[in-house]
Amino acid sequence: MPHKTFRQLGFALLALAALTAGWLYWRTSQAEVWGYDTLLFYLAAFAGPWLLRTYRKDGTVVEANKLSALAGLLLGLGFPGLLPVPLTIFVGFVPLFLLYRNLQARKASYRTVFRHGFSGFLLFNIVATYWVTNTGFWAGLFAMLANAALMALPWLALYWTGRKSPKIAFLAFAACWVAFEHFHYNWELNWPWLTLGNAPAQWPSVIQWYEVTGVLGGSAWVLGVNYVLFKTAFDPASPPEKKRSPLLIAAVVLLPMIGSLIRYATYAEPAGETISVAAIQPNFEPHFEKFADRKQAAPLDTIVRLSQAALSEGPVDYLLFPETSFRQIRENAPLESNVVRTLQTELAGRGAEYLVTGISSFYVFADGEPVTRAVRYSGNTAYEGLNAALQIRLGTEDYQTYRKGVFVPGAESFPFRDVLPFMEPLVASIGGSVAGLGTQEKRTPFTSPKAKVAPVICYESVFGDYFRDYIREGAQAIFVVTNDGWWGNTAGHRQHLYYASLRAIETRRAVVRSANVGACAFIDQRGKIVSRTYYDQAGFLRGELQLNDAITPYVRFGDMVSRIAMLLAAMVLLSNLARSLRREKA
């Protein structure tokens, strides 16, 4: 294709991006969810300028742009949900390593290095998480831009170390990348969705060793495979090293997979008690439908009807409803709620002993009681909002509550609220929570004579190290309640489903999900999805969970891989800094 044609295509794609933006605005006015339209918008908005920057007016071509874009495309396609090609994650960094070698040879500026890395990682974020924009445009755009910029920091560390200590440059990159991923789990702007170890979630049979290392061990594996393939294919070696390359590939790539397949085939769930569960999927679109019904009549009627239909097939130990199924429930006195009374009336004695549901609730502070930073006021009444879960023993006044502990930045929390108070109007304008939500310190399971179950609420299911606290508190099985309809019928809800398999492997706990829109599912202790529902289908799913009291190495010791990575990253960066200071003095 002629050079001029590429530039014309670039301008055409910019026009397409502008038209798609107008289309998104029109669909919003028609109360329609965007779905894959945001992917079209972002790809056009990225590809247009990319073509114009790559194919310049003077007839030259920027080859480095091709390598960064190829890396972004391969990394993005390596995550589940869009296309079934997860193997691309194992070669996604190879173009970046080639780019690194070229930039080192040119002695490119750090600004140039950052620009190429940011471009590739932005495309990575677009392909894998375009759907996050469906929740809120500006919040989603910020998430992708910020995440791409943060990913470019380990890339800069690779280049910096290559200038100072070339022999350990790739080790420094791997250590800094895994340290970055650990950091991304544990700060106020957390967004660990694209942790590299999450990518094989769709194929639990090859990652059974996560019970020892967790997903960050998977990240180290992905980086190791990329490095070995790069060295084998593109880095000339002496004949003895060439002979060892196939063995090195087998050791890094195949041995973990073979060992995992053996573990998957031979793993037997511990014999013991089981619980039966019916998970309900009421299917109310959250943007324009679910929360528009202030009296909650339609959701309540639908949930009751589906529950009764599920119980007509036989009794169960637990009924499970999705996240925020009901609103305006006072945590101090949930049984006084008209909604809860209706549930007791309609479901008690029908064949279910316990009900577990997600609720949007509030806690009223007593006079003189210390308030939290999430406090709000209605007149003289101080209260805090909660994204919570409630367990009721049907037909009795026995209940337990749980408060969500990990919040979606912006939507449920105001990151760096003390440092950036002037950002409050912006957070409020994009639908975020300025006050934030109340929480609790411990991950307490719901207990009963039947079982100890972990009430995991939506975003919490993505955080492995956090998730293991439920198990350390005695949880024998996992209940995930979520509302995945915010993203439309896109890759987002499928990725969220697959990530629950990772938690099952890490903890060896069976999982059941109840999703308002998305997928209810039963997942066994190997991470295999035994049964599931599908998007935009109201209904229910029945099944059994095998309880387990055993503690995996990951639950016992946590993210050891990230601790080692942080130590190595600190050592490398301090070494680089010391070398720089010595050269300045010289």
Side-chain angles (χ1 to χ4, degrees), residues 346-506:
E346 297 293 334
L347 299 178
R350 294 267 186 167
E353 188 166 355
Y354 289 92
L355 164 66
V356 174
T357 180
I359 55 174
S360 179
S361 63
F362 61 95
Y363 174 83
V364 177
F365 293 96
D367 291 341
E369 182 181 2
V371 299
T372 66
R373 61 179 288 125
V375 66
R376 312 176 192 196
Y377 291 92
S378 177
N380 294 325
T381 302
Y383 71 99
E384 61 182 351
L386 306 169
N387 188 345
L390 171 68
Q391 175 178 285
I392 305 170
R393 187 169 188 175
L394 292 169
T396 75
E397 295 185 359
D398 178 15
Y399 73 89
Q400 299 170 41
T401 60
Y402 166 81
R403 298 180 175 190
K404 185 178 183 180
V406 178
F407 302 118
V408 179
E412 295 180 314
S413 66
F414 181 2
F416 311 115
R417 176 179 168 187
D418 295 334
V419 181
L420 304 172
F422 57 89
M423 297 288 287
E424 288 190 12
L426 176 61
V427 173
S429 69
I430 62 176
S433 172
V434 173
L437 297 172
T439 186
Q440 63 184 59
E441 291 185 6
K442 288 187 175 182
R443 303 304 104 209
T444 53
F446 285 153
T447 62
S448 75
K450 296 288 184 181
K452 294 180 180 179
V453 296
V456 182
I457 302 176
C458 192
Y459 196 42
E460 291 180 314
S461 65
V462 184
F463 292 75
D465 196 46
Y466 171 94
F467 194 95
R468 71 190 185 95
D469 287 343
Y470 294 104
I471 313 305
R472 293 167 67 89
E473 292 294 325
Q476 301 167 298
I478 306 299
F479 288 0
V480 176
V481 295
T482 185
N483 183 8
D484 293 345
W486 296 106
W487 312 317
N489 190 8
T490 63
H493 78 275
R494 292 189 287 275
Q495 290 172 1
H496 200 197
L497 167 63
Y498 296 137
Y499 290 176
S501 292
L502 301 176
R503 306 290 85 81
I505 296 169
E506 289 172 340

Side-chain angles (χ1 to χ4, degrees), residues 72 117 139 148 156 221 423 428 483 509 532:
L156 280 176
W221 179 48
M423 297 288 287
N483 183 8
R509 295 297 187 271
R532 58 164 295 183

Side-chain angles (χ1 to χ4, degrees), residues 170-348:
F170 290 102
L171 174 63
F173 174 69
C176 289
W177 186 279
V178 175
F180 148 72
E181 290 188 338
H182 175 84
F183 175 74
H184 220 7
Y185 279 99
N186 295 287
W187 69 317
E188 292 190 35
L189 207 59
N190 55 62
W191 180 240
W193 203 274
L194 293 183
T195 298
L196 297 177
N198 288 343
Q202 195 172 352
W203 310 98
S205 58
V206 300
I207 50 174
Q208 292 296 298
W209 43 274
Y210 280 17
E211 67 179 324
V212 178
T213 68
V215 294
L216 292 180
S219 295
W221 179 48
V222 168
L223 292 168
V225 172
N226 274 272
Y227 172 73
V228 168
L229 293 179
F230 165 72
K231 293 288 286 185
T232 302
F234 297 103
D235 199 10
S238 60
E241 290 175 331
K242 285 184 177 180
K243 290 180 180 179
R244 289 197 297 268
S245 292
L247 295 178
L248 184 60
I249 294 173
V252 175
V253 180
L254 298 179
L255 284 182
M257 298 177 67
I258 293 172
S260 179
L261 289 169
I262 294 172
R263 176 65 167 160
Y264 185 82
T266 59
Y267 179 82
E269 294 187 342
E273 297 295 326
T274 63
I275 54 173
S276 55
V277 185
I280 306 302
Q281 183 170 319
N283 209 56
F284 284 94
E285 196 286 313
H287 288 276
F288 309 108
E289 184 180 9
K290 178 181 177 183
F291 298 106
D293 185 354
R294 294 190 175 184
K295 294 183 178 180
Q296 307 180 73
L300 179 59
D301 289 346
T302 298
I303 287 175
V304 167
R305 175 176 53 79
L306 292 173
S307 298
Q308 291 175 345
L311 295 176
S312 69
E313 297 185 5
V316 295
D317 297 313
Y318 291 88
L319 276 172
L320 184 62
F321 299 164
E323 178 188 19
T324 60
S325 288
F326 309 108
R327 307 189 305 279
Q328 299 176 345
I329 294 178
R330 181 172 175 174
E331 186 190 48
N332 314 52
L335 299 182
E336 295 178 3
S337 165
N338 289 333
V339 167
V340 174
R341 288 175 177 171
T342 300
L343 292 172
Q344 289 271 37
T345 301
E346 297 293 334
L347 299 178

